[in-house]
Amino acid sequence: MALPIVFDSPLTQVDDTANDRLYGVSRWEFDATYGWREWTYVKNTEASTAFAAGTVVMNKTTTPGTAGQALVCATSTAVHRVLGVAQHAIAAGKGGWILKRGIGLVVADTGGVTADTGLIPGNAVAGTADNVSGATAVAFALCLETKLATESARALIMC
């Protein structure tokens, strides 16, 4: 039987030296506004680009078998590569927690996003989200409010 892990650090903590033992580990926290949310620990493997709040994050497939290696989500990427969405800044080369499941903020791509539609990786700007085109399309989140391009929209994230 696996024992639960108790974390004494805040979710917004960014580690200067990413903790290899935590890559891919999940953590549940209760938020008074958004309820229960699941987070996952990743290393920002970008050379110089930080994850800003609302940035869609994908796994780094050039490192097979290594959990928690993450990049800013490339445009038009398959939904299945999305690991989660950053809810605070995580600098390049640093380790931190991104939102995997629950309500959080996602940055809209150039066309904006619409409430009650699924979200997929944006097709114009890396790290953003677009509406899906069809009720049965695969999505990584459900948009909860309508927002213009580059604005952050509340969404139910399900990665």
Side-chain angles (χ1 to χ4, degrees), residues 39-85:
W39 302 77
T40 191
Y41 190 84
V42 298
K43 177 181 181 181
N44 178 346
T45 59
E46 292 284 350
S48 61
T49 304
F51 299 160
T55 299
V56 180
V57 176
M58 69 179 189
N59 66 324
K60 181 179 178 182
T61 59
T62 58
T63 312
T66 304
Q69 301 288 313
L71 298 166
V72 170
C73 192
T75 57
S76 302
T77 295
V79 170
H80 304 89
R81 282 191 69 186
V82 177
L83 290 173
V85 182

Side-chain angles (χ1 to χ4, degrees), residues 15 17-25 41-43 66-69 93 95:
D15 299 321
T17 303
N19 188 337
D20 294 352
R21 293 172 294 153
L22 289 179
Y23 290 159
V25 168
Y41 190 84
V42 298
K43 177 181 181 181
T66 304
Q69 301 288 313

Side-chain angles (χ1 to χ4, degrees), residues 50 64 106 147 151:
V106 179
K147 291 289 184 170
E151 291 183 331

Side-chain angles (χ1 to χ4, degrees), residues 23-153:
Y23 290 159
V25 168
S26 289
R27 166 182 183 173
W28 285 90
E29 295 283 336
F30 182 79
D31 181 271
T33 303
Y34 298 127
W36 284 102
R37 303 192 297 172
E38 183 181 5
W39 302 77
T40 191
Y41 190 84
V42 298
K43 177 181 181 181
N44 178 346
T45 59
E46 292 284 350
S48 61
T49 304
F51 299 160
T55 299
V56 180
V57 176
M58 69 179 189
N59 66 324
K60 181 179 178 182
T61 59
T62 58
T63 312
T66 304
Q69 301 288 313
L71 298 166
V72 170
C73 192
T75 57
S76 302
T77 295
V79 170
H80 304 89
R81 282 191 69 186
V82 177
L83 290 173
V85 182
Q87 298 299 296
H88 57 275
I90 301 174
K94 309 298 183 191
W97 297 95
I98 61 171
L99 187 59
K100 181 176 179 176
R101 283 189 182 85
I103 297 173
L105 298 175
V106 179
V107 175
D109 199 4
T110 56
V113 291
T114 307
D116 299 324
T117 61
L119 296 176
I120 57 174
N123 65 357
V125 179
T128 63
D130 270 329
N131 293 324
V132 296
S133 59
T136 60
V138 177
F140 73 85
L142 173 67
C143 192
L144 301 175
E145 60 187 349
T146 300
K147 291 289 184 170
L148 299 174
T150 72
E151 291 183 331
S152 294

